[in-house]
Amino acid sequence: MYTQERTAMTNLVVGGPVAVNSYDNAIVAALVENRPVMLVHAYNGGYLRPAELGEASHDKGVKLATSLDSATKEAKGHLWYITPAGFFGQRPLYFLESAAGQVTPKPPTAGQATAGRGDDGTPKPQRRRITVHQDAPKSTADTVQVGLPDKVSDNWRGKNGAPEDTQLWVVTVTPWGGITFVPITHPDAILGFKDYAVAADSEVRVTYNWGGDFTGTVINTFYPRLPNEWNVPYHHVFT
């Protein structure tokens, strides 16, 4: 159901029939304000983090962690940006970018092209993105990597020559207040886990979407949590 207040955030429909609930600050912050969030799993309360936190790692995947150690927290390995990246039909598309290993480009020299600048005029940071294998989900190989478009392995690049193809996601707000991630290269799949098992250190995979629609199933749902809310139970309801 759409909320009745007509505000910018209630007009934002993300990939499906459910409008963003104006009470869920973390979803709004992630999708509208582009603030980093924790992606907490609906099933066991674990959170997504890159398998490798360093900026030089581009061929490792993502895992589910159930404890937030100080090293991960200091490296911002528990935080993700859900960055706008255009449209697929009328569906907004996003990059899932890790806050760990973020690199701020050096100022360009005279005559050198820039990689784009933010609203404050500073160069946009380079962030590693979750990238999908070309043959997911039928491939038995690791189906996701975290890396920059020009540094991930060949099978994690777009078939049409655009490296970003395999890094674009439909982000869907679910009826139960979480979000799911569907890669545009595999619309019958969804971000899930190896062997469909959700346990500590589970490897993240692109798996078949048994839910059959863009909201997926509860087992593939994540709840965005702002950094200061990371210990809020995943079933918490804002009132």
Side-chain angles (χ1 to χ4, degrees):
M1 296 290 292
Y2 292 102
T3 50
Q4 293 186 8
E5 319 92 82
R6 305 308 297 170
T7 65
M9 67 181 68
T10 58
N11 282 330
L12 177 65
V13 180
V14 189
V18 182
V20 171
N21 188 320
S22 58
Y23 292 108
D24 198 339
N25 300 323
I27 291 180
V28 173
L31 299 178
V32 179
E33 302 173 14
N34 198 27
R35 290 170 58 187
V37 292
M38 289 186 73
L39 295 176
V40 180
H41 194 263
Y43 188 73
N44 69 353
Y47 66 94
L48 295 189
R49 57 151 283 180
E52 297 288 340
L53 301 177
E55 64 188 55
S57 174
H58 300 280
D59 61 351
K60 303 297 181 184
V62 187
K63 68 178 184 178
L64 186 74
T66 52
S67 62
L68 183 56
D69 58 275
S70 56
T72 300
K73 195 171 184 179
E74 184 176 342
K76 299 183 178 180
H78 59 309
L79 297 178
W80 298 87
Y81 290 89
I82 305 178
T83 306
F87 288 86
F88 177 59
Q90 293 183 338
R91 296 180 183 273
L93 297 175
Y94 295 87
F95 296 124
L96 308 183
E97 299 182 321
S98 174
Q102 177 175 303
V103 178
T104 300
K106 296 178 181 179
T109 57
Q112 181 181 2
T114 68
R117 294 180 176 272
D119 293 339
D120 58 358
T122 58
K124 290 184 178 180
Q126 290 183 308
R127 301 187 186 119
R128 298 177 303 151
R129 302 167 179 167
I130 298 183
T131 306
V132 178
H133 194 284
Q134 289 179 3
D135 296 329
K138 60 186 177 182
S139 170
T140 57
D142 291 347
T143 56
V144 299
Q145 288 186 354
V146 177
L148 296 175
D150 58 340
K151 294 187 179 180
V152 294
S153 303
D154 287 341
N155 284 330
W156 282 263
R157 298 185 184 183
K159 294 182 178 179
N160 298 323
E164 291 85 2
D165 281 357
T166 53
Q167 297 184 328
L168 292 170
W169 299 82
V170 176
V171 180
T172 306
V173 180
T174 67
W176 42 84
I179 54 178
T180 58
F181 303 106
V182 175
I184 65 162
T185 49
H186 305 87
D188 59 343
I190 205 164
L191 197 66
F193 296 92
K194 181 181 179 182
D195 302 324
Y196 314 107
V198 181
D201 294 324
S202 286
E203 294 179 50
V204 172
R205 294 281 197 269
V206 174
T207 63
Y208 287 104
N209 179 16
W210 304 116
D213 61 17
F214 272 87
T215 62
T217 57
V218 173
I219 205 170
N220 291 316
T221 296
F222 301 91
Y223 289 94
R225 292 275 66 88
L226 293 169
N228 63 331
E229 298 178 330
W230 72 269
N231 58 347
V232 173
Y234 62 89
H235 51 73
H236 180 78
V237 178
F238 290 99
T239 55

